[in-house]
């Protein structure tokens, strides 16, 4: 791929991610990539790291002093502050979605305080059939010694719990917080007074990789090929997450709902499509 092709691919992916209503992959913004962008390339995704509070560096994880069990099941945490919507996926080792994964979030309020009496800014939810989650909350406040962050426990059904934290890019305290890990940065953008973040979790969950082959040559490419339930990718069609299509003789699965446009063909936009 020459330099012009590289620029075009980058621009196309950014446009597609924004139109689909998600934050652009952080790989395009100078940080770690969202796990979903590794699928089309066939790479093995990097596990989401544990994150501890510095007291037991040899222990897999401590959740810090403010975790409380038995949070209510809810996807919206309300209170004063700047609205924040965090969305993403939970994947296993083959970068396939994990359905019904538990995510338990807790965070400080706008003043940097945790509710240790009730359950303000605490709640758990489960991923849907496509491994997707969405949390509506506020941007947490700062408190002494830490940068801005959100705590989360993630657990696939019947598997160990991952306890970690999500961080915000361009925070001055990221440089001085001894716990901060750049691999846990969300992608974040502003959208009409709301901040929108994206992060994909990769859990240590064994999965059978989806079998894929290199695209056939022009002399052997079949004229039609449709996976079960799939249709041929078409400009102007609205696709929902989970929809299956074929393009150029190969199957793809939609990751984010959107309306297809020229230049957004599945191989060009891994933010929207993964190879089936």
């Amino acid at each position: 791929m020459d330099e012009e092709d590289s620029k075009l691919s980058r621009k196309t992916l950014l446009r597609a991610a924004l139109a689909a209503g998600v934050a652009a992959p952080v790989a395009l913004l100078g940080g770690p990539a969202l796990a979903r962008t590794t699928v089309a390339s066939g790479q093995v995704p990097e596990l989401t790291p544990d994150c501890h509070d510095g007291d037991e560096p040899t222990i897999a994880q401590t959740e810090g002093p403010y975790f409380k069990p038995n949070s209510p099941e809810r996807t919206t945490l309300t209170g004063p502050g700047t609205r924040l919507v965090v969305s993403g996926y939970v994947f296993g080792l083959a970068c396939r979605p994990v359905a019904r994964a538990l995510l338990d979030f807790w965070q400080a309020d706008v003043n940097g305080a945790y509710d240790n009496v009730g359950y303000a800014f605490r709640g758990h939810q489960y991923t849907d059939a496509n491994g997707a989650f969405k949390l509506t909350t506020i941007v947490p406040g700062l408190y002494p010694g830490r940068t801005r962050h959100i705590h989360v426990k993630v657990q696939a059904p019947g598997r160990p719990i991952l306890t970690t934290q999500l961080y915000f890019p361009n925070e001055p305290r990221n440089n001085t917080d001894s716990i901060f890990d750049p691999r846990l940065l969300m992608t974040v953008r502003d959208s009409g007074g709301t901040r929108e973040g994206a992060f994909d979790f990769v859990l240590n969950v064994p999965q059978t990789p989806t079998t894929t082959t290199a695209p056939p040559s022009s002399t052997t490419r079949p004229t039609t090929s449709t996976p079960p339930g799939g249709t041929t990718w078409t400009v102007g069609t609205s696709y929902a997450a989970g929809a299956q299509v074929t393009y150029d003789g190969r199957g793809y699965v939609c990751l984010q709902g959107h309306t297809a446009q020229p230049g957004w063909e599945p191989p060009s936009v891994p933010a929207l499509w993964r190879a089936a």
Side-chain angles (χ1 to χ4, degrees):
M1 179 182 291
D2 60 27
E3 184 177 356
E4 287 303 314
D5 289 337
S6 177
K7 290 180 180 177
L8 178 60
S9 298
R10 179 180 186 277
K11 184 182 299 183
T12 300
L13 181 52
L14 280 167
R15 291 204 321 267
L18 291 173
V22 299
V26 118
L28 304 178
L29 306 175
L34 292 171
R36 71 194 77 157
T37 65
T38 68
V39 180
S41 65
Q43 301 175 32
V44 176
E46 181 182 358
L47 291 177
T48 301
D50 296 330
C51 184
H52 60 79
D53 280 352
D55 52 349
E56 295 288 350
T58 61
I59 301 299
Q61 173 60 45
T62 59
E63 67 266 358
Y66 301 122
F67 173 71
K68 288 180 60 177
N70 304 316
S71 69
E73 181 175 349
R74 57 190 178 189
T75 59
T76 299
L77 310 179
T78 59
T82 300
R83 179 182 169 93
L84 171 69
V85 178
V86 179
S87 61
Y89 294 86
V90 176
F91 293 111
L93 292 175
C95 218
R96 296 175 60 188
V98 177
R100 293 295 295 172
L102 169 68
L103 298 101
D104 194 347
F105 293 96
W106 72 102
Q107 66 173 76
D109 64 17
V110 70
N111 297 312
Y114 287 83
D115 180 7
N116 294 316
V117 177
Y119 286 90
F121 295 108
R122 300 175 185 269
H124 71 271
Q125 60 178 277
Y126 298 89
T127 56
D128 65 14
N130 297 312
F133 71 91
K134 183 177 181 180
L135 173 70
T136 301
T137 181
I138 66 162
V139 175
L142 293 165
Y143 61 88
R146 291 302 318 276
T147 191
R148 211 178 301 274
H149 62 282
I150 296 174
H151 294 271
V152 59
K153 289 179 178 286
V154 190
Q155 182 180 26
R159 302 295 300 180
I161 298 172
L162 166 72
T163 305
T164 194
Q165 300 175 31
L166 301 180
Y167 296 104
F168 294 76
N170 304 316
E171 285 286 333
R173 290 193 187 181
N174 288 349
N175 297 323
T176 57
D177 189 324
S178 62
I179 303 170
F180 170 76
D181 188 328
R183 294 173 296 174
L184 295 168
L185 280 168
M186 296 182 286
T187 65
V188 180
R189 67 171 185 172
D190 293 321
S191 177
T194 296
R195 303 195 76 188
E196 297 178 347
F199 190 86
D200 294 339
F201 296 93
V202 179
L203 303 182
N204 189 11
V205 175
Q207 294 176 320
T208 302
T210 301
T211 301
T212 58
T213 57
S217 66
S218 58
T219 58
T220 61
R221 181 175 293 123
T223 55
T224 60
S225 175
T226 304
T231 58
T232 302
W233 182 88
T234 306
V235 170
T237 302
S238 294
Y239 294 106
Q244 293 183 320
V245 301
T246 57
Y247 179 80
D248 209 13
R250 194 173 186 183
Y252 295 88
V253 177
C254 181
L255 296 177
Q256 297 282 349
H258 67 286
T259 299
Q261 298 187 32
W264 293 7
E265 295 80 3
S268 303
V269 281
L272 299 180
W273 298 96
R274 68 171 174 84

PDB file of all heavy atoms in Angstrom, residues 44-55:
ATOM      1  N   VAL A  44      -4.105 -11.527  16.577  1.00  0.00           N
ATOM      2  CA  VAL A  44      -4.577 -11.950  17.884  1.00  0.00           C
ATOM      3  C   VAL A  44      -4.683 -10.712  18.758  1.00  0.00           C
ATOM      4  O   VAL A  44      -3.724  -9.957  18.900  1.00  0.00           O
ATOM      5  CB  VAL A  44      -3.612 -12.967  18.526  1.00  0.00           C
ATOM      6  CG1 VAL A  44      -4.074 -13.331  19.932  1.00  0.00           C
ATOM      7  CG2 VAL A  44      -3.517 -14.219  17.656  1.00  0.00           C
ATOM      8  N   PRO A  45      -5.846 -10.441  19.355  1.00  0.00           N
ATOM      9  CA  PRO A  45      -5.998  -9.217  20.145  1.00  0.00           C
ATOM     10  C   PRO A  45      -5.216  -9.284  21.446  1.00  0.00           C
ATOM     11  O   PRO A  45      -5.036 -10.353  22.033  1.00  0.00           O
ATOM     12  CB  PRO A  45      -7.503  -9.160  20.415  1.00  0.00           C
ATOM     13  CG  PRO A  45      -7.929 -10.588  20.389  1.00  0.00           C
ATOM     14  CD  PRO A  45      -7.071 -11.241  19.331  1.00  0.00           C
ATOM     15  N   GLU A  46      -4.759  -8.125  21.931  1.00  0.00           N
ATOM     16  CA  GLU A  46      -4.049  -8.044  23.200  1.00  0.00           C
ATOM     17  C   GLU A  46      -5.045  -8.048  24.343  1.00  0.00           C
ATOM     18  O   GLU A  46      -6.080  -7.376  24.294  1.00  0.00           O
ATOM     19  CB  GLU A  46      -3.214  -6.757  23.257  1.00  0.00           C
ATOM     20  CG  GLU A  46      -2.420  -6.601  24.553  1.00  0.00           C
ATOM     21  CD  GLU A  46      -1.645  -5.292  24.589  1.00  0.00           C
ATOM     22  OE1 GLU A  46      -1.707  -4.554  23.589  1.00  0.00           O
ATOM     23  OE2 GLU A  46      -1.002  -5.023  25.621  1.00  0.00           O
ATOM     24  N   LEU A  47      -4.767  -8.819  25.390  1.00  0.00           N
ATOM     25  CA  LEU A  47      -5.654  -8.867  26.537  1.00  0.00           C
ATOM     26  C   LEU A  47      -5.753  -7.496  27.195  1.00  0.00           C
ATOM     27  O   LEU A  47      -4.767  -6.760  27.280  1.00  0.00           O
ATOM     28  CB  LEU A  47      -5.154  -9.883  27.566  1.00  0.00           C
ATOM     29  CG  LEU A  47      -5.225 -11.368  27.188  1.00  0.00           C
ATOM     30  CD1 LEU A  47      -4.619 -12.207  28.303  1.00  0.00           C
ATOM     31  CD2 LEU A  47      -6.655 -11.798  26.925  1.00  0.00           C
ATOM     32  N   THR A  48      -6.932  -7.161  27.700  1.00  0.00           N
ATOM     33  CA  THR A  48      -7.080  -5.943  28.492  1.00  0.00           C
ATOM     34  C   THR A  48      -6.337  -6.133  29.806  1.00  0.00           C
ATOM     35  O   THR A  48      -6.566  -7.110  30.512  1.00  0.00           O
ATOM     36  CB  THR A  48      -8.573  -5.666  28.773  1.00  0.00           C
ATOM     37  OG1 THR A  48      -9.255  -5.535  27.523  1.00  0.00           O
ATOM     38  CG2 THR A  48      -8.741  -4.397  29.582  1.00  0.00           C
ATOM     39  N   PRO A  49      -5.450  -5.210  30.161  1.00  0.00           N
ATOM     40  CA  PRO A  49      -4.638  -5.419  31.372  1.00  0.00           C
ATOM     41  C   PRO A  49      -5.423  -5.220  32.650  1.00  0.00           C
ATOM     42  O   PRO A  49      -6.356  -4.424  32.707  1.00  0.00           O
ATOM     43  CB  PRO A  49      -3.530  -4.362  31.235  1.00  0.00           C
ATOM     44  CG  PRO A  49      -4.124  -3.301  30.383  1.00  0.00           C
ATOM     45  CD  PRO A  49      -5.049  -4.004  29.421  1.00  0.00           C
ATOM     46  N   ASP A  50      -5.020  -5.985  33.683  1.00  0.00           N
ATOM     47  CA  ASP A  50      -5.506  -5.719  35.032  1.00  0.00           C
ATOM     48  C   ASP A  50      -4.991  -4.351  35.446  1.00  0.00           C
ATOM     49  O   ASP A  50      -4.016  -3.843  34.913  1.00  0.00           O
ATOM     50  CB  ASP A  50      -4.962  -6.751  36.030  1.00  0.00           C
ATOM     51  CG  ASP A  50      -5.463  -8.152  35.737  1.00  0.00           C
ATOM     52  OD1 ASP A  50      -6.566  -8.280  35.213  1.00  0.00           O
ATOM     53  OD2 ASP A  50      -4.728  -9.106  36.033  1.00  0.00           O
ATOM     54  N   CYS A  51      -5.637  -3.740  36.415  1.00  0.00           N
ATOM     55  CA  CYS A  51      -5.195  -2.452  36.916  1.00  0.00           C
ATOM     56  C   CYS A  51      -5.380  -2.429  38.414  1.00  0.00           C
ATOM     57  O   CYS A  51      -6.494  -2.566  38.912  1.00  0.00           O
ATOM     58  CB  CYS A  51      -6.006  -1.323  36.266  1.00  0.00           C
ATOM     59  SG  CYS A  51      -5.470   0.324  36.744  1.00  0.00           S
ATOM     60  N   HIS A  52      -4.280  -2.302  39.159  1.00  0.00           N
ATOM     61  CA  HIS A  52      -4.364  -2.310  40.612  1.00  0.00           C
ATOM     62  C   HIS A  52      -4.020  -0.932  41.157  1.00  0.00           C
ATOM     63  O   HIS A  52      -3.624  -0.036  40.434  1.00  0.00           O
ATOM     64  CB  HIS A  52      -3.432  -3.377  41.196  1.00  0.00           C
ATOM     65  CG  HIS A  52      -1.995  -3.178  40.838  1.00  0.00           C
ATOM     66  ND1 HIS A  52      -1.188  -2.269  41.465  1.00  0.00           N
ATOM     67  CD2 HIS A  52      -1.217  -3.777  39.904  1.00  0.00           C
ATOM     68  CE1 HIS A  52       0.024  -2.321  40.951  1.00  0.00           C
ATOM     69  NE2 HIS A  52       0.032  -3.208  39.997  1.00  0.00           N
ATOM     70  N   ASP A  53      -4.187  -0.787  42.440  1.00  0.00           N
ATOM     71  CA  ASP A  53      -3.958   0.509  43.078  1.00  0.00           C
ATOM     72  C   ASP A  53      -2.563   0.643  43.661  1.00  0.00           C
ATOM     73  O   ASP A  53      -2.306   1.501  44.501  1.00  0.00           O
ATOM     74  CB  ASP A  53      -5.007   0.756  44.169  1.00  0.00           C
ATOM     75  CG  ASP A  53      -6.325   1.236  43.573  1.00  0.00           C
ATOM     76  OD1 ASP A  53      -6.345   1.510  42.371  1.00  0.00           O
ATOM     77  OD2 ASP A  53      -7.311   1.329  44.318  1.00  0.00           O
ATOM     78  N   GLY A  54      -1.639  -0.207  43.255  1.00  0.00           N
ATOM     79  CA  GLY A  54      -0.239  -0.021  43.601  1.00  0.00           C
ATOM     80  C   GLY A  54       0.200  -0.661  44.889  1.00  0.00           C
ATOM     81  O   GLY A  54       1.388  -0.673  45.189  1.00  0.00           O
ATOM     82  N   ASP A  55      -0.726  -1.250  45.661  1.00  0.00           N
ATOM     83  CA  ASP A  55      -0.318  -1.776  46.954  1.00  0.00           C
ATOM     84  C   ASP A  55       0.205  -3.200  46.863  1.00  0.00           C
ATOM     85  O   ASP A  55       1.013  -3.619  47.688  1.00  0.00           O
ATOM     86  CB  ASP A  55      -1.485  -1.703  47.958  1.00  0.00           C
ATOM     87  CG  ASP A  55      -2.756  -2.324  47.429  1.00  0.00           C
ATOM     88  OD1 ASP A  55      -2.804  -2.629  46.231  1.00  0.00           O
ATOM     89  OD2 ASP A  55      -3.704  -2.496  48.223  1.00  0.00           O
TER      90      ASP A  55
END
